[in-house]
Amino acid sequence: MPTSSRPQLRVVVLISGSGSNLQALIDGANSGELPIEIAAVISNRPDVFGLTRAKDAGIVTQVLDHKGFASRETFDAALMQTIDHYQPDLVVLAGFMRILTPEFTRHYLGRMLNIHPSLLPKFQGLHTHQRALDAGESHHGVTVHFVTAELDGGPAAIQARVPVLPGDDATQLAKRVQRQEHIIYPLAIKWFAQGHLVMHEGKALLNGELLPASGYQIEANEP
Ligand code: GRF
């Protein structure tokens, strides 16, 4: 007998590294908290720990090494073909360290999410923790957003704020931010799976209401 009337959301996760966000999704799916099926995990780098996490969970893995391609366009075209083979409802970028072509972002518009370790629109790009410290920010954090052609620029779904503490270095701050990543990414994906979170005309909506530019705001309830 089916346990739910809504079929599970088919998700393909793209990674380039350790895959701690992937692990949060695997754990959520296994506990039944997250109504998704991870159809495949694809990495652009061989031998990363995220692939081990996926294999340990019995998930299909594939490596598509960008170094074997002559251009960004040919890599992205091959990646699209690889992803589409699994017919996902949602593509999840979880530490996928690639700049994407407009063709790629257009193809998955409204059905691709990314997590970026800053309070977007602040600190797009790399080294966000150090840059937040250098700028003397009182708060830092992480944003889940829909992916558009603009790097780290699509409409935000959820943002978690963490305080910057006296004496913080980039590693300590990153750890605190990562704990929030593992909360808000599964939450955003759950809302998407339930049909509560959608992208419409370039904006993120939650339960039919326009979200603020920062997305749904969560304050970390730990230091
Ligand atoms: C995370 O900090 C995420 O915000 C960023 O890349 C990192 C990936 O970490 N986009 P992991 O591979 O999920 O552990």
Side-chain angles (χ1 to χ4, degrees), residues 14-24 50 53 93-97 114-118 128-129 141-143 152 174 177-178 181-182 185:
L14 306 191
I15 60 166
S16 302
S18 108
S20 68
N21 281 284
L22 166 66
Q23 189 66 55
R53 293 182 195 268
L93 308 183
F96 187 61
M97 304 303 282
N114 183 41
I115 188 156
H116 180 77
S118 80
T128 57
H129 308 300
V142 56
T143 308
D152 300 327
V177 168
Q178 273 228 322
E181 296 187 10
H182 303 155
Y185 218 179

PDB file of all heavy atoms in Angstrom, residues 14-24 50 53 93-97 114-118 128-129 141-143 152 174 177-178 181-182 185, ligand 1:
ATOM      1  N   LEU A  14      24.707  17.111  -7.303  1.00  0.00           N
ATOM      2  CA  LEU A  14      26.034  17.339  -7.899  1.00  0.00           C
ATOM      3  C   LEU A  14      26.996  17.789  -6.807  1.00  0.00           C
ATOM      4  O   LEU A  14      26.678  18.703  -6.030  1.00  0.00           O
ATOM      5  CB  LEU A  14      25.978  18.424  -8.986  1.00  0.00           C
ATOM      6  CG  LEU A  14      24.972  18.256 -10.131  1.00  0.00           C
ATOM      7  CD1 LEU A  14      25.263  19.270 -11.240  1.00  0.00           C
ATOM      8  CD2 LEU A  14      25.005  16.862 -10.713  1.00  0.00           C
ATOM      9  N   ILE A  15      28.158  17.167  -6.765  1.00  0.00           N
ATOM     10  CA  ILE A  15      29.151  17.487  -5.732  1.00  0.00           C
ATOM     11  C   ILE A  15      30.539  17.654  -6.366  1.00  0.00           C
ATOM     12  O   ILE A  15      30.769  17.240  -7.507  1.00  0.00           O
ATOM     13  CB  ILE A  15      29.243  16.373  -4.663  1.00  0.00           C
ATOM     14  CG1 ILE A  15      29.656  15.027  -5.297  1.00  0.00           C
ATOM     15  CG2 ILE A  15      27.916  16.218  -3.911  1.00  0.00           C
ATOM     16  CD1 ILE A  15      30.083  13.975  -4.297  1.00  0.00           C
ATOM     17  N   SER A  16      31.434  18.256  -5.556  1.00  0.00           N
ATOM     18  CA  SER A  16      32.845  18.321  -5.956  1.00  0.00           C
ATOM     19  C   SER A  16      33.755  17.956  -4.796  1.00  0.00           C
ATOM     20  O   SER A  16      34.979  18.028  -4.931  1.00  0.00           O
ATOM     21  CB  SER A  16      33.231  19.743  -6.399  1.00  0.00           C
ATOM     22  OG  SER A  16      32.452  20.202  -7.460  1.00  0.00           O
ATOM     23  N   GLY A  17      33.183  17.636  -3.631  1.00  0.00           N
ATOM     24  CA  GLY A  17      34.057  17.497  -2.465  1.00  0.00           C
ATOM     25  C   GLY A  17      33.541  16.564  -1.406  1.00  0.00           C
ATOM     26  O   GLY A  17      33.042  15.480  -1.691  1.00  0.00           O
ATOM     27  N   SER A  18      33.617  17.048  -0.165  1.00  0.00           N
ATOM     28  CA  SER A  18      33.405  16.163   0.989  1.00  0.00           C
ATOM     29  C   SER A  18      31.964  15.678   1.127  1.00  0.00           C
ATOM     30  O   SER A  18      31.711  14.620   1.697  1.00  0.00           O
ATOM     31  CB  SER A  18      33.854  16.896   2.261  1.00  0.00           C
ATOM     32  OG  SER A  18      32.741  17.271   3.020  1.00  0.00           O
ATOM     33  N   GLY A  19      31.017  16.460   0.663  1.00  0.00           N
ATOM     34  CA  GLY A  19      29.635  15.969   0.633  1.00  0.00           C
ATOM     35  C   GLY A  19      28.924  15.950   1.972  1.00  0.00           C
ATOM     36  O   GLY A  19      28.021  15.135   2.185  1.00  0.00           O
ATOM     37  N   SER A  20      29.260  16.879   2.869  1.00  0.00           N
ATOM     38  CA  SER A  20      28.533  16.877   4.151  1.00  0.00           C
ATOM     39  C   SER A  20      27.080  17.302   3.942  1.00  0.00           C
ATOM     40  O   SER A  20      26.184  16.812   4.639  1.00  0.00           O
ATOM     41  CB  SER A  20      29.233  17.756   5.190  1.00  0.00           C
ATOM     42  OG  SER A  20      29.166  19.116   4.832  1.00  0.00           O
ATOM     43  N   ASN A  21      26.820  18.181   2.991  1.00  0.00           N
ATOM     44  CA  ASN A  21      25.426  18.535   2.684  1.00  0.00           C
ATOM     45  C   ASN A  21      24.698  17.345   2.056  1.00  0.00           C
ATOM     46  O   ASN A  21      23.532  17.089   2.374  1.00  0.00           O
ATOM     47  CB  ASN A  21      25.364  19.753   1.767  1.00  0.00           C
ATOM     48  CG  ASN A  21      25.565  21.043   2.541  1.00  0.00           C
ATOM     49  OD1 ASN A  21      24.662  21.501   3.231  1.00  0.00           O
ATOM     50  ND2 ASN A  21      26.770  21.607   2.465  1.00  0.00           N
ATOM     51  N   LEU A  22      25.386  16.637   1.184  1.00  0.00           N
ATOM     52  CA  LEU A  22      24.813  15.409   0.625  1.00  0.00           C
ATOM     53  C   LEU A  22      24.429  14.462   1.762  1.00  0.00           C
ATOM     54  O   LEU A  22      23.350  13.869   1.751  1.00  0.00           O
ATOM     55  CB  LEU A  22      25.837  14.746  -0.307  1.00  0.00           C
ATOM     56  CG  LEU A  22      25.520  13.304  -0.709  1.00  0.00           C
ATOM     57  CD1 LEU A  22      24.272  13.235  -1.569  1.00  0.00           C
ATOM     58  CD2 LEU A  22      26.714  12.683  -1.439  1.00  0.00           C
ATOM     59  N   GLN A  23      25.305  14.329   2.755  1.00  0.00           N
ATOM     60  CA  GLN A  23      25.039  13.427   3.880  1.00  0.00           C
ATOM     61  C   GLN A  23      23.763  13.836   4.621  1.00  0.00           C
ATOM     62  O   GLN A  23      22.974  12.974   5.025  1.00  0.00           O
ATOM     63  CB  GLN A  23      26.235  13.437   4.852  1.00  0.00           C
ATOM     64  CG  GLN A  23      26.137  12.369   5.927  1.00  0.00           C
ATOM     65  CD  GLN A  23      26.240  10.961   5.338  1.00  0.00           C
ATOM     66  OE1 GLN A  23      27.198  10.649   4.644  1.00  0.00           O
ATOM     67  NE2 GLN A  23      25.235  10.124   5.579  1.00  0.00           N
ATOM     68  N   ALA A  24      23.584  15.147   4.775  1.00  0.00           N
ATOM     69  CA  ALA A  24      22.367  15.626   5.450  1.00  0.00           C
ATOM     70  C   ALA A  24      21.121  15.203   4.657  1.00  0.00           C
ATOM     71  O   ALA A  24      20.088  14.855   5.244  1.00  0.00           O
ATOM     72  CB  ALA A  24      22.418  17.144   5.620  1.00  0.00           C
ATOM     73  N   GLY A  50      32.571  12.641  -0.907  1.00  0.00           N
ATOM     74  CA  GLY A  50      31.132  12.614  -1.162  1.00  0.00           C
ATOM     75  C   GLY A  50      30.713  11.377  -1.955  1.00  0.00           C
ATOM     76  O   GLY A  50      29.618  10.834  -1.746  1.00  0.00           O
ATOM     77  N   ARG A  53      30.417   8.569   0.460  1.00  0.00           N
ATOM     78  CA  ARG A  53      29.167   8.684   1.234  1.00  0.00           C
ATOM     79  C   ARG A  53      27.997   8.125   0.424  1.00  0.00           C
ATOM     80  O   ARG A  53      27.138   7.419   0.960  1.00  0.00           O
ATOM     81  CB  ARG A  53      28.883  10.150   1.548  1.00  0.00           C
ATOM     82  CG  ARG A  53      29.860  10.832   2.488  1.00  0.00           C
ATOM     83  CD  ARG A  53      29.353  12.257   2.679  1.00  0.00           C
ATOM     84  NE  ARG A  53      30.296  13.183   3.269  1.00  0.00           N
ATOM     85  CZ  ARG A  53      30.395  13.432   4.582  1.00  0.00           C
ATOM     86  NH1 ARG A  53      29.639  12.788   5.430  1.00  0.00           N
ATOM     87  NH2 ARG A  53      31.250  14.336   5.023  1.00  0.00           N
ATOM     88  N   LEU A  93      22.700  21.340  -6.169  1.00  0.00           N
ATOM     89  CA  LEU A  93      24.138  21.601  -6.177  1.00  0.00           C
ATOM     90  C   LEU A  93      24.596  21.638  -4.726  1.00  0.00           C
ATOM     91  O   LEU A  93      24.166  22.492  -3.949  1.00  0.00           O
ATOM     92  CB  LEU A  93      24.447  22.940  -6.859  1.00  0.00           C
ATOM     93  CG  LEU A  93      23.848  23.143  -8.263  1.00  0.00           C
ATOM     94  CD1 LEU A  93      24.293  24.490  -8.839  1.00  0.00           C
ATOM     95  CD2 LEU A  93      24.241  22.012  -9.203  1.00  0.00           C
ATOM     96  N   ALA A  94      25.450  20.698  -4.351  1.00  0.00           N
ATOM     97  CA  ALA A  94      25.872  20.593  -2.952  1.00  0.00           C
ATOM     98  C   ALA A  94      27.398  20.641  -2.904  1.00  0.00           C
ATOM     99  O   ALA A  94      28.062  19.611  -2.879  1.00  0.00           O
ATOM    100  CB  ALA A  94      25.340  19.306  -2.337  1.00  0.00           C
ATOM    101  N   GLY A  95      27.922  21.880  -2.957  1.00  0.00           N
ATOM    102  CA  GLY A  95      29.366  22.036  -3.006  1.00  0.00           C
ATOM    103  C   GLY A  95      29.898  21.688  -4.388  1.00  0.00           C
ATOM    104  O   GLY A  95      30.992  21.133  -4.515  1.00  0.00           O
ATOM    105  N   PHE A  96      29.122  22.013  -5.426  1.00  0.00           N
ATOM    106  CA  PHE A  96      29.544  21.746  -6.812  1.00  0.00           C
ATOM    107  C   PHE A  96      30.291  22.982  -7.304  1.00  0.00           C
ATOM    108  O   PHE A  96      29.679  24.038  -7.510  1.00  0.00           O
ATOM    109  CB  PHE A  96      28.323  21.454  -7.682  1.00  0.00           C
ATOM    110  CG  PHE A  96      28.667  21.014  -9.071  1.00  0.00           C
ATOM    111  CD1 PHE A  96      29.399  19.858  -9.290  1.00  0.00           C
ATOM    112  CD2 PHE A  96      28.244  21.746 -10.168  1.00  0.00           C
ATOM    113  CE1 PHE A  96      29.712  19.434 -10.567  1.00  0.00           C
ATOM    114  CE2 PHE A  96      28.549  21.338 -11.465  1.00  0.00           C
ATOM    115  CZ  PHE A  96      29.288  20.174 -11.658  1.00  0.00           C
ATOM    116  N   MET A  97      31.617  22.845  -7.439  1.00  0.00           N
ATOM    117  CA  MET A  97      32.476  24.015  -7.631  1.00  0.00           C
ATOM    118  C   MET A  97      32.728  24.299  -9.107  1.00  0.00           C
ATOM    119  O   MET A  97      33.863  24.222  -9.591  1.00  0.00           O
ATOM    120  CB  MET A  97      33.807  23.807  -6.888  1.00  0.00           C
ATOM    121  CG  MET A  97      33.639  23.517  -5.412  1.00  0.00           C
ATOM    122  SD  MET A  97      32.734  24.802  -4.541  1.00  0.00           S
ATOM    123  CE  MET A  97      34.034  26.013  -4.371  1.00  0.00           C
ATOM    124  N   ASN A 114      20.942  25.750  -5.105  1.00  0.00           N
ATOM    125  CA  ASN A 114      22.351  25.805  -4.690  1.00  0.00           C
ATOM    126  C   ASN A 114      22.407  26.279  -3.249  1.00  0.00           C
ATOM    127  O   ASN A 114      21.491  26.949  -2.771  1.00  0.00           O
ATOM    128  CB  ASN A 114      23.115  26.788  -5.589  1.00  0.00           C
ATOM    129  CG  ASN A 114      24.599  26.840  -5.252  1.00  0.00           C
ATOM    130  OD1 ASN A 114      25.225  25.806  -4.982  1.00  0.00           O
ATOM    131  ND2 ASN A 114      25.177  28.029  -5.242  1.00  0.00           N
ATOM    132  N   ILE A 115      23.491  25.934  -2.569  1.00  0.00           N
ATOM    133  CA  ILE A 115      23.716  26.479  -1.229  1.00  0.00           C
ATOM    134  C   ILE A 115      25.025  27.254  -1.264  1.00  0.00           C
ATOM    135  O   ILE A 115      26.030  26.770  -1.783  1.00  0.00           O
ATOM    136  CB  ILE A 115      23.716  25.369  -0.155  1.00  0.00           C
ATOM    137  CG1 ILE A 115      23.743  26.000   1.244  1.00  0.00           C
ATOM    138  CG2 ILE A 115      24.836  24.363  -0.343  1.00  0.00           C
ATOM    139  CD1 ILE A 115      23.184  25.096   2.326  1.00  0.00           C
ATOM    140  N   HIS A 116      24.954  28.478  -0.734  1.00  0.00           N
ATOM    141  CA  HIS A 116      26.129  29.342  -0.789  1.00  0.00           C
ATOM    142  C   HIS A 116      26.416  29.869   0.620  1.00  0.00           C
ATOM    143  O   HIS A 116      25.515  30.412   1.274  1.00  0.00           O
ATOM    144  CB  HIS A 116      25.895  30.515  -1.741  1.00  0.00           C
ATOM    145  CG  HIS A 116      27.082  31.412  -1.825  1.00  0.00           C
ATOM    146  ND1 HIS A 116      28.211  31.076  -2.556  1.00  0.00           N
ATOM    147  CD2 HIS A 116      27.350  32.602  -1.240  1.00  0.00           C
ATOM    148  CE1 HIS A 116      29.109  32.036  -2.415  1.00  0.00           C
ATOM    149  NE2 HIS A 116      28.614  32.967  -1.624  1.00  0.00           N
ATOM    150  N   PRO A 117      27.663  29.739   1.078  1.00  0.00           N
ATOM    151  CA  PRO A 117      27.963  30.076   2.468  1.00  0.00           C
ATOM    152  C   PRO A 117      28.165  31.570   2.713  1.00  0.00           C
ATOM    153  O   PRO A 117      29.262  32.018   3.082  1.00  0.00           O
ATOM    154  CB  PRO A 117      29.238  29.268   2.765  1.00  0.00           C
ATOM    155  CG  PRO A 117      29.914  29.169   1.444  1.00  0.00           C
ATOM    156  CD  PRO A 117      28.827  29.134   0.400  1.00  0.00           C
ATOM    157  N   SER A 118      27.117  32.347   2.513  1.00  0.00           N
ATOM    158  CA  SER A 118      27.125  33.759   2.894  1.00  0.00           C
ATOM    159  C   SER A 118      25.686  34.238   2.950  1.00  0.00           C
ATOM    160  O   SER A 118      24.778  33.545   2.478  1.00  0.00           O
ATOM    161  CB  SER A 118      27.911  34.626   1.900  1.00  0.00           C
ATOM    162  OG  SER A 118      27.123  34.899   0.763  1.00  0.00           O
ATOM    163  N   THR A 128      34.282  33.045   1.435  1.00  0.00           N
ATOM    164  CA  THR A 128      33.266  33.909   2.034  1.00  0.00           C
ATOM    165  C   THR A 128      33.487  34.131   3.527  1.00  0.00           C
ATOM    166  O   THR A 128      33.205  35.219   4.031  1.00  0.00           O
ATOM    167  CB  THR A 128      31.868  33.293   1.824  1.00  0.00           C
ATOM    168  OG1 THR A 128      31.876  31.985   2.399  1.00  0.00           O
ATOM    169  CG2 THR A 128      31.522  33.201   0.352  1.00  0.00           C
ATOM    170  N   HIS A 129      33.974  33.109   4.236  1.00  0.00           N
ATOM    171  CA  HIS A 129      34.111  33.238   5.696  1.00  0.00           C
ATOM    172  C   HIS A 129      35.192  34.276   6.028  1.00  0.00           C
ATOM    173  O   HIS A 129      34.995  35.154   6.864  1.00  0.00           O
ATOM    174  CB  HIS A 129      34.428  31.882   6.324  1.00  0.00           C
ATOM    175  CG  HIS A 129      33.465  30.808   5.897  1.00  0.00           C
ATOM    176  ND1 HIS A 129      32.115  30.895   6.141  1.00  0.00           N
ATOM    177  CD2 HIS A 129      33.648  29.656   5.203  1.00  0.00           C
ATOM    178  CE1 HIS A 129      31.509  29.830   5.632  1.00  0.00           C
ATOM    179  NE2 HIS A 129      32.417  29.076   5.040  1.00  0.00           N
ATOM    180  N   GLY A 141      26.522  33.838   7.455  1.00  0.00           N
ATOM    181  CA  GLY A 141      25.506  32.797   7.341  1.00  0.00           C
ATOM    182  C   GLY A 141      25.545  32.080   6.019  1.00  0.00           C
ATOM    183  O   GLY A 141      26.602  32.005   5.368  1.00  0.00           O
ATOM    184  N   VAL A 142      24.390  31.580   5.644  1.00  0.00           N
ATOM    185  CA  VAL A 142      24.309  30.708   4.466  1.00  0.00           C
ATOM    186  C   VAL A 142      22.942  30.878   3.814  1.00  0.00           C
ATOM    187  O   VAL A 142      21.954  31.151   4.490  1.00  0.00           O
ATOM    188  CB  VAL A 142      24.584  29.236   4.878  1.00  0.00           C
ATOM    189  CG1 VAL A 142      23.646  28.762   5.979  1.00  0.00           C
ATOM    190  CG2 VAL A 142      24.506  28.306   3.680  1.00  0.00           C
ATOM    191  N   THR A 143      22.932  30.732   2.495  1.00  0.00           N
ATOM    192  CA  THR A 143      21.706  30.944   1.719  1.00  0.00           C
ATOM    193  C   THR A 143      21.462  29.763   0.779  1.00  0.00           C
ATOM    194  O   THR A 143      22.385  29.329   0.082  1.00  0.00           O
ATOM    195  CB  THR A 143      21.832  32.220   0.853  1.00  0.00           C
ATOM    196  OG1 THR A 143      22.236  33.320   1.685  1.00  0.00           O
ATOM    197  CG2 THR A 143      20.524  32.558   0.158  1.00  0.00           C
ATOM    198  N   ASP A 152      25.654  32.785  -8.088  1.00  0.00           N
ATOM    199  CA  ASP A 152      25.195  33.033  -6.702  1.00  0.00           C
ATOM    200  C   ASP A 152      24.159  34.161  -6.655  1.00  0.00           C
ATOM    201  O   ASP A 152      24.076  34.897  -5.663  1.00  0.00           O
ATOM    202  CB  ASP A 152      26.384  33.393  -5.782  1.00  0.00           C
ATOM    203  CG  ASP A 152      27.426  32.281  -5.720  1.00  0.00           C
ATOM    204  OD1 ASP A 152      27.035  31.106  -5.812  1.00  0.00           O
ATOM    205  OD2 ASP A 152      28.621  32.601  -5.598  1.00  0.00           O
ATOM    206  N   ALA A 174      33.290  28.888   9.692  1.00  0.00           N
ATOM    207  CA  ALA A 174      32.783  27.956   8.668  1.00  0.00           C
ATOM    208  C   ALA A 174      32.062  26.780   9.316  1.00  0.00           C
ATOM    209  O   ALA A 174      31.013  26.335   8.829  1.00  0.00           O
ATOM    210  CB  ALA A 174      33.939  27.444   7.815  1.00  0.00           C
ATOM    211  N   VAL A 177      28.686  27.884  10.441  1.00  0.00           N
ATOM    212  CA  VAL A 177      27.809  28.076   9.273  1.00  0.00           C
ATOM    213  C   VAL A 177      27.381  26.702   8.717  1.00  0.00           C
ATOM    214  O   VAL A 177      26.222  26.503   8.364  1.00  0.00           O
ATOM    215  CB  VAL A 177      28.516  28.917   8.191  1.00  0.00           C
ATOM    216  CG1 VAL A 177      27.749  28.885   6.883  1.00  0.00           C
ATOM    217  CG2 VAL A 177      28.690  30.352   8.671  1.00  0.00           C
ATOM    218  N   GLN A 178      28.307  25.759   8.693  1.00  0.00           N
ATOM    219  CA  GLN A 178      27.979  24.436   8.115  1.00  0.00           C
ATOM    220  C   GLN A 178      26.888  23.719   8.897  1.00  0.00           C
ATOM    221  O   GLN A 178      26.059  23.026   8.311  1.00  0.00           O
ATOM    222  CB  GLN A 178      29.234  23.572   8.007  1.00  0.00           C
ATOM    223  CG  GLN A 178      29.963  23.829   6.682  1.00  0.00           C
ATOM    224  CD  GLN A 178      30.343  22.554   5.953  1.00  0.00           C
ATOM    225  OE1 GLN A 178      30.734  21.580   6.570  1.00  0.00           O
ATOM    226  NE2 GLN A 178      30.236  22.561   4.632  1.00  0.00           N
ATOM    227  N   GLU A 181      23.904  24.936   7.432  1.00  0.00           N
ATOM    228  CA  GLU A 181      23.703  24.399   6.074  1.00  0.00           C
ATOM    229  C   GLU A 181      22.936  23.092   6.136  1.00  0.00           C
ATOM    230  O   GLU A 181      22.016  22.854   5.345  1.00  0.00           O
ATOM    231  CB  GLU A 181      25.055  24.139   5.399  1.00  0.00           C
ATOM    232  CG  GLU A 181      25.852  25.399   5.175  1.00  0.00           C
ATOM    233  CD  GLU A 181      27.108  25.174   4.348  1.00  0.00           C
ATOM    234  OE1 GLU A 181      27.292  24.085   3.787  1.00  0.00           O
ATOM    235  OE2 GLU A 181      27.910  26.122   4.265  1.00  0.00           O
ATOM    236  N   HIS A 182      23.330  22.261   7.122  1.00  0.00           N
ATOM    237  CA  HIS A 182      22.755  20.912   7.189  1.00  0.00           C
ATOM    238  C   HIS A 182      21.324  20.934   7.717  1.00  0.00           C
ATOM    239  O   HIS A 182      20.638  19.925   7.690  1.00  0.00           O
ATOM    240  CB  HIS A 182      23.656  20.013   8.049  1.00  0.00           C
ATOM    241  CG  HIS A 182      25.058  19.965   7.524  1.00  0.00           C
ATOM    242  ND1 HIS A 182      26.155  19.677   8.294  1.00  0.00           N
ATOM    243  CD2 HIS A 182      25.532  20.223   6.268  1.00  0.00           C
ATOM    244  CE1 HIS A 182      27.248  19.744   7.546  1.00  0.00           C
ATOM    245  NE2 HIS A 182      26.899  20.071   6.317  1.00  0.00           N
ATOM    246  N   TYR A 185      19.326  23.266   4.128  1.00  0.00           N
ATOM    247  CA  TYR A 185      19.226  22.655   2.780  1.00  0.00           C
ATOM    248  C   TYR A 185      18.139  21.567   2.761  1.00  0.00           C
ATOM    249  O   TYR A 185      17.251  21.596   1.889  1.00  0.00           O
ATOM    250  CB  TYR A 185      20.581  22.124   2.312  1.00  0.00           C
ATOM    251  CG  TYR A 185      20.832  22.343   0.817  1.00  0.00           C
ATOM    252  CD1 TYR A 185      22.018  21.954   0.222  1.00  0.00           C
ATOM    253  CD2 TYR A 185      19.862  22.939   0.004  1.00  0.00           C
ATOM    254  CE1 TYR A 185      22.249  22.156  -1.134  1.00  0.00           C
ATOM    255  CE2 TYR A 185      20.081  23.141  -1.354  1.00  0.00           C
ATOM    256  CZ  TYR A 185      21.284  22.746  -1.917  1.00  0.00           C
ATOM    257  OH  TYR A 185      21.505  22.946  -3.256  1.00  0.00           O
TER     258      TYR A 185
HETATM  259  C1  GRF B   1      29.510  24.230   1.608  1.00  0.00           C
HETATM  260  O1  GRF B   1      30.123  25.130   2.469  1.00  0.00           O
HETATM  261  C2  GRF B   1      28.560  24.940   0.706  1.00  0.00           C
HETATM  262  O2  GRF B   1      27.961  26.033   1.277  1.00  0.00           O
HETATM  263  C3  GRF B   1      29.444  25.347  -0.436  1.00  0.00           C
HETATM  264  O3  GRF B   1      30.376  24.303  -0.571  1.00  0.00           O
HETATM  265  C4  GRF B   1      30.512  23.618   0.648  1.00  0.00           C
HETATM  266  C5  GRF B   1      30.245  22.172   0.418  1.00  0.00           C
HETATM  267  O4  GRF B   1      30.518  21.381   1.533  1.00  0.00           O
HETATM  268  N1  GRF B   1      28.661  25.617  -1.609  1.00  0.00           N
HETATM  269  P1  GRF B   1      30.165  19.845   1.502  1.00  0.00           P
HETATM  270  O5  GRF B   1      30.886  19.221   0.316  1.00  0.00           O
HETATM  271  O6  GRF B   1      28.672  19.692   1.413  1.00  0.00           O
HETATM  272  O7  GRF B   1      30.703  19.299   2.801  1.00  0.00           O
END
